[in-house]
Amino acid sequence: DETTMVDSNLIGIENVDGIKDEIYNDASVAMCDKLMPGNEDSGASAKASMVGHSGLLFLYIEVEDADIQMPDPDIQEGEPWNVDSVEFLLWTHNKIFDDIHQFRLDVTGYPSYYSINNLKDGEITSINGDEAAKYFEAYEVVQTESGYVIEACIDVKKYGISYSENVGIQMQLNDVTENTITRTATVI
C-alpha cells in the first residue's frame, strides 16, 4: 500500500494527541495479525492508520488488549520489547540489508529507538526513555476501555526516506500476559 497523502490544513504535529482525527478515515491501514513463529494467540490485536505529509509519517494505532500489564520499570528500561508495546520499523529503500529504524512506544508512553546502519556490518544504536523521545516529532499514548491508542509522528526525511521510493514497513505488537509474551506482526 502507498501511504495516503493529505492536505496540510488537516494535519500537524500539534494534532498528535491520541484522539482519532478525520484524516485517518481515508488513511492506509495495516492490521497487525500475523503471529511470530513460536507464539500463541493472546487475543490482542493492533490496527495502524498511516498518513504521510511533507516528509512526516503520522500513525494512529489502535490496540485491542483485554489484559494490559503495566511494565516493571527495570524491564521497561532494559528490555522494552518485553512489555505491552508497539514497534514500528522502517526499512530504508525496502532492502533487508539496508538501514533499519525501529520506533517503539509502550502502554505508558515510554519510548525507545533502535537502528542498524547496514545490517551486515553496521553501527547499532539503542536508546530508551527521554533520549529516545527525540526520535519522534510527537507522540501520545492513551489507555482505552479495550486497550490503548498510540498516535505518533516521525520525520522520515531524517532517515533518508522519501515517499518517491519503496520503504519497507513492519509493525509488531508485543503483548504481555501473566506468564508469557506474544508477538504479532505485519509487513507492509
Side-chain angles (χ1 to χ4, degrees):
D1 286 345
E2 290 185 17
T3 303
T4 303
M5 301 302 201
V6 298
D7 182 318
S8 61
N9 295 322
L10 299 178
I11 194 161
I13 294 170
E14 67 278 359
N15 294 332
V16 175
D17 54 12
I19 298 171
K20 190 171 187 178
D21 299 304
E22 68 179 68
I23 57 100
Y24 292 111
N25 293 342
D26 296 321
S28 300
V29 174
M31 296 299 297
C32 193
D33 55 5
K34 308 280 189 275
L35 282 171
M36 301 293 281
N39 285 264
E40 293 185 24
D41 189 0
S42 67
S45 64
K47 176 177 131 181
S49 300
M50 299 168 285
V51 175
H53 176 68
S54 298
L56 299 174
L57 178 62
F58 292 86
L59 304 163
Y60 188 83
I61 304 170
E62 299 166 275
V63 177
E64 298 288 327
D65 184 354
D67 185 28
I68 291 177
Q69 302 289 314
M70 286 298 133
D72 174 302
D74 291 334
I75 294 173
Q76 190 178 42
E77 186 174 316
E79 300 174 3
W81 54 89
N82 285 330
V83 301
D84 280 339
S85 59
V86 175
E87 303 176 17
F88 199 83
L89 292 82
L90 300 175
W91 301 74
T92 307
H93 313 299
N94 202 20
K95 295 179 183 173
I96 195 163
F97 290 114
D98 220 327
D99 295 347
I100 302 168
H101 303 279
Q102 178 181 28
F103 305 84
R104 182 185 298 106
L105 290 164
D106 76 15
V107 66
T108 68
Y110 186 84
S112 60
Y113 170 78
Y114 177 86
S115 73
I116 300 177
N117 296 326
N118 189 321
L119 189 56
K120 287 183 180 177
D121 57 3
E123 177 183 328
I124 297 174
T125 302
S126 181
I127 302 169
N128 299 324
D130 291 341
E131 277 295 305
K134 69 182 180 184
Y135 290 90
F136 296 85
E137 295 304 302
Y139 62 87
E140 187 70 38
V141 178
V142 177
Q143 292 182 26
T144 66
E145 288 183 14
S146 59
Y148 58 102
V149 167
I150 293 173
E151 186 173 19
C153 175
I154 299 166
D155 184 349
V156 297
K157 297 183 309 289
K158 287 183 181 178
Y159 308 102
I161 297 171
S162 75
Y163 294 124
S164 63
E165 63 186 328
N166 286 334
V167 176
I169 298 175
Q170 177 181 343
M171 182 176 66
Q172 179 172 304
L173 172 63
N174 302 311
D175 181 36
V176 176
T177 56
E178 191 170 315
N179 299 315
T180 189
I181 183 159
T182 299
R183 302 180 202 290
T184 55
T186 189
V187 177
I188 305 161

